[in-house]
Amino acid sequence: MGTGSSSHHHFVLQKAESAFKAAVLIQRWYRRYIARLEMRRRCTWTIFQSIEYSGHQDQVKLHDFFSYLVDHFTPSSQNERNFLSCMFAEERLLKDSEMETYCDYESIEVPDYYTGPHVSFPLLPDHATALVEAFKQKKQLHARYVLNILHEARKYLIQLPNINHISTCYSEEITVCGDLHGQLDDLIFIFYKNGLPSPERSYVFNGDFVDRGKHSIEILMILFAFMLVYPKEFHLNRGNHEDHLVNLRYGFTKEVMHKYKVNGKKILKMLQEVFCWLPLATLIDEKVLIIHGGISDKTDLELLEKLERHKIISTMKYTKKPEKKKAAEESRSISAWFPLKSRSVPSSPLRLSPHKGSRSASIPCTFTPDRKEIFKKVRQSVQLELKEGQQQMDFSEFKDKEPLRFPLESEPNSCDFQGVNQEEWKQVVDILWSDPMPQEGCKANTVRGGGCFFGPNVTEQVLQKYSLQFLIRSHECKQEGYEFCHNRKVLTIFSASNYYEVGSNRGAYVKLGPDLIPHIVQYQANKTTHTLTMRQRISRVEESALKALREKLFAHSSSLLAAFKSYDLDGSNFITLNDWSVAMESVLHLGLPWRVLRPQLVTHTINNMLEYKSWLNDLAKEQVSHENIQSSLLEVLYRNRSNLETIFRIIDSDHSGLISFDEFRQIWKLFSSHMNVDITDESICDMARSIDFNKDGNIDINEFLEAFRLVEQSYLEDKDSELKGSETNESSCSGQGVH
Amino acid sequence: MLLDCSHGLDEWKSTTFFSEAGLLELQKKIKEAFEVFDHEANDTVDVREIGTIIRSLGCCPSEGELHDLIAEVEEEEPTGYIRLEKFLPMMVKVLSERRYRPIPEDLLLQAFEVLDSAKEGFLTKEELVKYMTEEGEPFTEEEMEEMLSAALDPETNTIQYRDYLAMMVIDEN
């Protein structure tokens, strides 16, 4: 045995050892890198969710604002009375005769130069497919056809039961899809990947077709078209966004008015008539219940089957009993003035009969205790709303209790149009708004302001009561597009991919065969994400979340400054990072991991201390500013932007986008007094004047809100064009991204 | 709360002493990271996420070391969940003893060079895959794919590891 071979042996052994060690080192390092990415991804998700939930609280505030008005505000002038009556005006369904007159479409001419799809009845499968193709090519459906389809859809929906019972024996597989929220790309992708609806291919779409995305109307048209063509195989459930009051806030109303400038109002009115007739639930083989939101411990399917679903025009409405005689008197005097504020919707006799639509009044019991709590909180803290325009990020699902109905009469039975009773109303609210929670029990959903959080025991109870196997619901965005909970008895399915931001989440749909075993298919309808590495994807979404977060921080600048100052005991203008973390949470109440996020939010520190004033200044510089508006007002306005917008849109009853100078002042005055914001009348006037850009006494809401949207708009557009660049010549339905 | 002073010199050198406030702050930091993964808001985390949490707090343990750490904090009858009250003191100790420090860049480079037997300045795709999935603490298919997506130069089908490392380092910072 020569030394040569043993040293060679030794050398080989050493080499093998070092290769092993080197490999371990690289693997160790890499796994840490991935872990950090994962942490960032989780934090990003947490940011989006916490901003979303804090947005909900803001909606609750809006509700409280309206309650406050009802309880405390005494109109002192004709103007104010009109204003109030406008805010609290009754909305109701049209009678058939009214519908013929008002929502007539036959008189609408389709011009020769129209290049979009044509639709005729009876609708054929080819028409529906043609619609999909046309929308893929960015065509817009003519208003006449939109209304036509809506009329036919309504006629069909009216004869459906509240709960659709369907069976897997007719078509072998049923595909259930969740929220689409106006994201046409996802719908097109689903049809591409899974196949178009047909007698052999059943679909159930579980609500929330509209709002937020830019193609809500197109999605509706496709869904209704297929529903009319394949009535036995194509089913729709109502979601909480199939509701004109929610649409006012979340973009569908805006989309319709923008795309259909002449006939938009008709379409909006007709939509109300259609939404309220959507079924509430679908039951497969009597075993799988599909509802949009969830259930509660009071869920009663028999009651749900029997109630008159169309009478719930909006799940956000409820009515209140007049507690004092004074209020009742006032209400009567208001009703007398009712017709003075004209509305676009029938300038007909309808408006002169204010006695219609009186409802029996009561506040849903689950909400009462929370209301007091929230009302208190509202008085104490300033809440924040993300900017509205960035539809992809403003996902605040909320239960916005809309203006309280002024009880125009005290006897609920005195009119021919009656709402449902309180119990029935609550049943429907629960179905459309509830969320599952991991803990046992059932408690009010204070995050959304309506419906409840239901625990695994509630699920078990309801499943057993009706001999069901499991529930399918939607309503909540999930990173993987789906999520099982409650011991796999509840499946959340969410079909809007990239919901918060490109790359934020997958979409998914679920297929059920006769064995009722769910098969999930995931996707992400954006090619660009697949060319990015994980780090790039996460970075992009993270950037988005941080931007949203920084906006929120900016909007709280004054409170933050005050909090920081309280930690700066020696007046050095420096605070520790620990104090920074504590201060942030104390002001924002977002429950975010501030210490984990700190490196992303605070980049310059000296000796682990932060010079907070310049940090706040840097935040402000990033945000848009409008020279005409003073900066302190700007901050307050900015913070309340979304609420103000909603109020504006309610006031702007003819959807013209204009409100009068006076109206603006009044709104602002009322709102700011409720919010305990200190603003003089003069400042309001100045502000209103400066916003009245063309000095005609009218304020263009859109222009006003535009001031806050400029930066984000261009940011979004850049993103959009960046992404569209890779999609222009191909449909986004390439087979990529399917798992 | 000072740590036990009877440690050996090396450990002494590598141990960070915390003031009361510093310790409190450290605990808050650990708790925050933990809570990001505490989905049920009940101070527990799925054991499969513990590695992510530990690594995101600045440590760089090997898989073997990670398993040891987990064994320390698991319940006697493993439930699949780790409780904060067990995790916290362990993590404080790990961080104050500065265990599992991140790997300096030059050491990483050396590691790649060791694998680069031909000393050409790059690894072929096959070489990297072989080493990562067969040597050391092997990657899963998913991990391999993910690493390749960023590391592989598609034109040459090689991993130019110097450039790759340089890019990753920028990322981190």
Side-chain angles (χ1 to χ4, degrees):
Chain A
M1 204 84 85
T3 46
S5 59
S6 84
S7 71
H8 172 75
H9 212 59
H10 185 69
F11 174 73
V12 167
L13 204 61
Q14 254 191 342
K15 191 161 183 290
E17 251 184 53
S18 18
F20 183 92
K21 281 191 185 152
V24 174
L25 205 71
I26 295 173
Q27 286 152 348
R28 234 178 89 193
W29 158 78
Y30 188 75
R31 283 175 172 134
R32 174 158 182 262
Y33 172 76
I34 294 294
R36 290 177 69 175
L37 273 186
E38 175 63 22
M39 179 58 105
R40 279 166 64 188
R41 190 179 72 108
R42 234 23 120 75
C43 280
T44 300
W45 190 258
T46 309
I47 292 175
F48 279 131
Q49 293 220 301
S50 72
I51 291 180
E52 176 173 5
Y53 291 150
S54 88
H56 298 172
Q57 302 307 312
D58 208 29
Q59 309 321 330
V60 175
K61 234 167 58 146
L62 186 62
H63 148 71
D64 281 323
F65 168 54
F66 287 124
S67 322
Y68 165 79
L69 281 183
V70 173
D71 289 345
H72 298 103
F73 187 70
T74 310
S76 57
S77 68
Q78 180 63 50
N79 271 345
E80 287 179 342
R81 252 187 274 267
N82 292 345
F83 174 78
L84 267 192
S85 70
C86 194
M87 292 244 271
F88 300 127
E90 193 60 56
E91 297 235 10
R92 60 174 196 79
L93 291 181
L94 299 172
K95 289 208 206 108
D96 280 346
S97 50
E98 293 159 353
M99 203 172 314
E100 300 301 318
T101 356
Y102 183 64
C103 296
D104 149 70
Y105 56 88
E106 270 155 20
S107 58
I108 303 178
E109 295 247 338
V110 180
D112 291 330
Y113 56 77
Y114 171 71
T115 58
H118 293 265
V119 158
S120 61
F121 286 82
L123 214 51
L124 297 172
D126 280 350
H127 289 133
T129 316
L131 271 184
V132 180
E133 281 308 308
F135 291 149
K136 249 160 70 173
Q137 289 161 36
K138 322 267 182 231
K139 303 268 199 239
Q140 183 172 303
L141 186 64
H142 195 274
R144 180 203 170 103
Y145 298 132
V146 173
L147 283 165
N148 201 353
I149 289 180
L150 289 177
H151 271 272
E152 296 299 315
R154 179 178 171 276
K155 277 203 287 214
Y156 168 71
L157 288 170
I158 285 179
Q159 24 113 29
L160 289 183
N162 294 347
I163 302 183
N164 258 329
H165 295 250
I166 67 179
S167 169
T168 51
C169 61
Y170 292 124
S171 60
E172 283 143 25
E173 262 186 339
I174 301 182
T175 304
V176 182
C177 303
D179 295 25
L180 285 170
H181 281 303
Q183 297 189 187
L184 184 60
D185 284 349
D186 287 301
L187 180 59
I188 291 178
F189 185 83
I190 294 172
F191 285 160
Y192 168 79
K193 176 72 189 159
N194 195 47
L196 286 169
S198 71
E200 292 80 42
R201 200 173 290 114
S202 282
Y203 275 94
V204 177
F205 281 87
N206 197 13
D208 278 12
F209 320 122
V210 302
D211 277 333
R212 301 209 179 102
K214 298 204 181 110
H215 299 105
S216 301
I217 192 72
E218 284 78 24
I219 287 189
L220 270 192
M221 290 296 104
I222 293 175
L223 295 179
F224 287 148
F226 278 114
M227 178 184 76
L228 291 167
V229 165
Y230 297 120
K232 289 213 275 296
E233 294 84 19
F234 199 87
H235 312 277
L236 302 176
N237 282 346
R238 191 176 186 184
N240 59 308
H241 276 258
E242 274 69 58
D243 182 328
H244 70 287
L245 289 175
V246 179
N247 300 150
L248 261 182
R249 184 167 203 132
Y250 288 106
F252 185 36
T253 308
K254 229 182 296 188
E255 181 189 325
V256 170
M257 289 314 297
H258 176 71
K259 289 179 175 168
Y260 297 100
K261 297 191 167 52
V262 175
N263 292 298
K265 297 172 239 167
K266 274 191 184 183
I267 294 175
L268 287 174
K269 190 63 192 170
M270 200 57 210
L271 279 166
Q272 276 185 49
E273 305 281 334
V274 177
F275 283 163
C276 65
W277 279 110
L278 285 166
L280 300 170
T282 301
L283 194 53
I284 303 182
D285 292 348
E286 305 300 308
K287 289 265 156 250
V288 180
L289 181 64
I290 310 176
I291 59 263
H292 175 73
I295 52 175
S296 77
D297 53 356
K298 299 280 189 309
T299 292
D300 182 343
L301 292 184
E302 281 121 10
L303 192 57
L304 279 167
E305 298 250 33
K306 286 201 297 243
L307 58 84
E308 294 180 272
R309 71 180 188 272
H310 66 289
K311 291 193 170 169
I312 301 177
I313 307 179
S314 165
T315 47
M316 296 194 328
K317 286 181 186 178
Y318 70 98
T319 52
K320 184 180 172 196
K321 257 195 185 79
E323 273 156 16
K324 322 160 226 186
K325 194 151 179 275
K326 183 175 183 240
E329 272 170 7
E330 237 158 61
S331 69
R332 248 170 258 130
S333 59
I334 285 177
S335 64
W337 300 114
F338 194 122
L340 288 180
K341 176 74 183 178
S342 71
R343 285 203 173 209
S344 62
V345 176
S347 49
S348 66
L350 298 176
R351 289 288 150 183
L352 295 174
S353 35
H355 298 293
K356 298 241 186 299
S358 113
R359 307 262 171 88
S360 69
S362 48
I363 304 172
C365 346
T366 51
F367 199 73
T368 317
D370 296 284
R371 185 165 167 265
K372 290 215 183 86
E373 255 303 308
I374 291 162
F375 200 58
K376 209 172 28 173
K377 279 197 193 134
V378 154
R379 289 264 174 215
Q380 288 163 3
S381 71
V382 183
Q383 295 288 346
L384 182 60
E385 175 73 38
L386 260 191
K387 55 172 184 37
E388 182 69 21
Q390 215 172 55
Q391 289 174 338
Q392 283 178 331
M393 286 209 275
D394 186 355
F395 29 76
S396 18
E397 287 289 274
F398 72 101
K399 176 84 188 289
D400 185 359
K401 297 290 173 104
E402 76 106 30
L404 300 173
R405 314 276 104 235
F406 265 69
L408 300 172
E409 284 184 22
S410 38
E411 312 91 60
N413 297 319
S414 63
C415 64
D416 59 9
F417 178 80
Q418 234 189 323
V420 293
N421 68 44
Q422 187 204 325
E423 194 197 346
E424 292 171 329
W425 181 77
K426 189 173 180 305
Q427 288 279 331
V428 176
V429 170
D430 285 344
I431 293 286
L432 261 35
W433 288 87
S434 300
D435 294 308
M437 64 174 176
Q439 300 84 12
E440 308 257 297
C442 187
K443 57 183 190 182
N445 192 328
T446 46
V447 168
R448 298 195 191 261
C452 66
F453 287 120
F454 62 98
N457 57 328
V458 175
T459 300
E460 196 51 46
Q461 176 199 326
V462 169
L463 289 180
Q464 275 197 23
K465 184 168 172 194
Y466 298 105
S467 310
L468 304 170
Q469 276 182 23
F470 63 98
L471 301 177
I472 300 181
R473 44 90 62 175
S474 304
H475 199 39
E476 283 181 295
C477 181
K478 298 292 176 191
Q479 273 193 309
E480 294 299 315
Y482 76 99
E483 192 175 89
F484 282 102
C485 66
H486 294 188
N487 216 5
R488 289 185 83 87
K489 297 286 175 67
V490 175
L491 168 62
T492 300
I493 196 90
F494 193 83
S495 301
S497 66
N498 306 319
Y499 180 64
Y500 291 139
E501 177 54 80
V502 173
S504 66
N505 64 290
R506 295 199 172 115
Y509 55 86
V510 58
K511 298 167 76 81
L512 295 167
D515 55 7
L516 296 181
I517 295 179
H519 295 280
I520 315 267
V521 177
Q522 295 169 293
Y523 55 87
Q524 204 153 13
N526 186 305
K527 283 169 55 166
T528 321
T529 51
H530 309 304
T531 61
L532 302 174
T533 62
M534 173 156 71
R535 178 195 73 74
Q536 286 168 319
R537 277 201 303 276
I538 291 178
S539 286
R540 176 194 281 256
V541 186
E542 186 185 39
E543 211 179 285
S544 197
L546 289 173
K547 189 169 194 299
L549 185 56
R550 278 193 286 260
E551 268 189 43
K552 242 184 168 336
L553 300 186
F554 161 71
H556 279 117
S557 300
S558 329
S559 313
L560 283 174
L561 183 62
F564 293 153
K565 277 200 173 137
S566 70
Y567 285 103
D568 178 17
L569 298 168
D570 56 4
S572 62
N573 287 336
F574 280 87
I575 53 170
T576 67
L577 292 174
N578 180 35
D579 290 338
W580 175 86
S581 309
V582 177
M584 294 295 277
E585 183 57 28
S586 73
V587 169
L588 291 154
H589 302 294
L590 289 174
L592 287 176
W594 295 107
R595 290 168 190 82
V596 179
L597 291 171
R598 206 243 338 124
Q600 317 277 47
L601 293 170
V602 175
T603 43
H604 301 297
T605 56
I606 304 174
N607 287 339
N608 259 3
M609 302 275 277
L610 168 67
E611 214 248 279
Y612 54 90
K613 283 190 183 155
S614 45
W615 182 71
L616 284 171
N617 278 337
D618 288 342
L619 271 184
K621 283 194 205 129
E622 280 175 39
Q623 309 300 324
V624 71
S625 66
H626 196 283
E627 285 96 40
N628 294 355
I629 308 177
Q630 306 164 36
S631 55
S632 57
L633 273 184
L634 173 68
E635 198 188 304
V636 180
L637 268 180
Y638 193 76
R639 218 181 335 212
N640 295 288
R641 210 163 68 248
S642 238
N643 278 342
L644 285 174
E645 181 178 358
T646 307
I647 300 174
F648 289 160
R649 291 201 187 280
I650 294 175
I651 297 286
D652 174 29
S653 46
D654 60 1
H655 302 292
S656 61
L658 297 173
I659 57 173
S660 79
F661 195 88
D662 241 2
E663 282 169 331
F664 174 84
R665 266 188 57 239
Q666 275 176 358
I667 296 169
W668 186 240
K669 202 169 85 173
L670 287 171
F671 193 72
S672 57
S673 69
H674 171 66
M675 302 292 291
N676 283 331
V677 168
D678 199 14
I679 291 188
T680 64
D681 208 38
E682 200 191 315
S683 327
I684 301 178
C685 283
D686 283 344
M687 183 166 62
R689 246 173 254 125
S690 65
I691 296 168
D692 178 9
F693 300 127
N694 55 5
K695 308 286 170 237
D696 66 349
N698 279 316
I699 290 173
D700 185 323
I701 305 172
N702 293 316
E703 259 190 67
F704 169 60
L705 295 163
E706 202 57 31
F708 296 110
R709 233 177 269 143
L710 286 170
V711 169
E712 291 81 8
Q713 187 88 319
S714 59
Y715 175 72
L716 257 189
E717 276 163 1
D718 284 341
K719 281 247 172 109
D720 245 29
S721 55
E722 215 178 282
L723 301 170
K724 289 231 164 79
S726 53
E727 287 180 40
T728 34
N729 296 327
E730 315 163 58
S731 76
S732 55
C733 324
S734 68
Q736 291 174 339
V738 176
H739 302 264
Chain B
M1 187 171 107
L2 296 181
L3 295 171
D4 185 355
C5 301
S6 62
H7 288 170
L9 187 62
D10 281 345
E11 280 187 55
W12 176 284
K13 268 190 184 161
S14 67
T15 303
T16 309
F17 289 103
F18 287 103
S19 61
E20 187 96 40
L23 185 63
L24 215 58
E25 181 54 17
L26 183 64
Q27 286 173 336
K28 282 192 197 164
K29 198 169 155 204
I30 297 170
K31 189 160 183 286
E32 250 192 22
F34 188 90
E35 281 171 353
V36 173
F37 292 87
D38 177 11
H39 303 302
E40 298 187 18
N42 59 0
D43 288 343
T44 67
V45 147
D46 189 319
V47 66
R48 293 165 292 184
E49 322 242 54
I50 287 289
T52 308
I53 300 173
I54 294 178
R55 286 169 169 137
S56 74
L57 283 166
C59 301
C60 197
S62 67
E63 290 289 289
E65 288 164 334
L66 188 60
H67 285 139
D68 292 340
L69 284 174
I70 291 177
E72 268 183 57
V73 293
E74 250 178 343
E75 304 296 319
E76 305 222 333
E77 302 261 350
T79 59
Y81 286 97
I82 304 294
R83 288 185 294 132
L84 177 63
E85 56 186 18
K86 284 195 138 182
F87 181 76
L88 191 60
M90 182 275 287
M91 205 62 220
V92 168
K93 193 150 182 287
V94 164
L95 287 177
S96 54
E97 289 175 7
R98 306 175 132 259
R99 282 163 34 187
Y100 318 121
R101 303 305 293 155
I103 302 156
E105 202 184 328
D106 51 353
L107 210 58
L108 258 180
L109 191 57
Q110 273 182 48
F112 273 102
E113 284 170 347
V114 164
L115 300 182
D116 178 12
S117 45
K119 302 287 170 247
E120 301 190 61
F122 63 84
L123 289 171
T124 65
K125 180 178 171 192
E126 290 69 32
E127 278 179 308
L128 184 68
V129 173
K130 181 171 82 98
Y131 281 121
M132 293 295 105
T133 58
E134 293 176 22
E135 291 283 350
E137 294 174 321
F139 272 171
T140 61
E141 209 180 297
E142 216 187 310
E143 285 173 312
M144 193 67 249
E145 223 181 276
E146 181 48 51
M147 187 186 208
L148 283 174
S149 74
L152 188 68
D153 172 14
E155 286 174 28
T156 57
N157 235 26
T158 62
I159 290 90
Q160 306 288 332
Y161 51 82
R162 272 186 181 276
D163 294 339
Y164 173 57
L165 275 182
M167 176 187 80
M168 294 289 263
V169 166
I170 293 176
D171 267 3
E172 291 280 276
N173 304 336

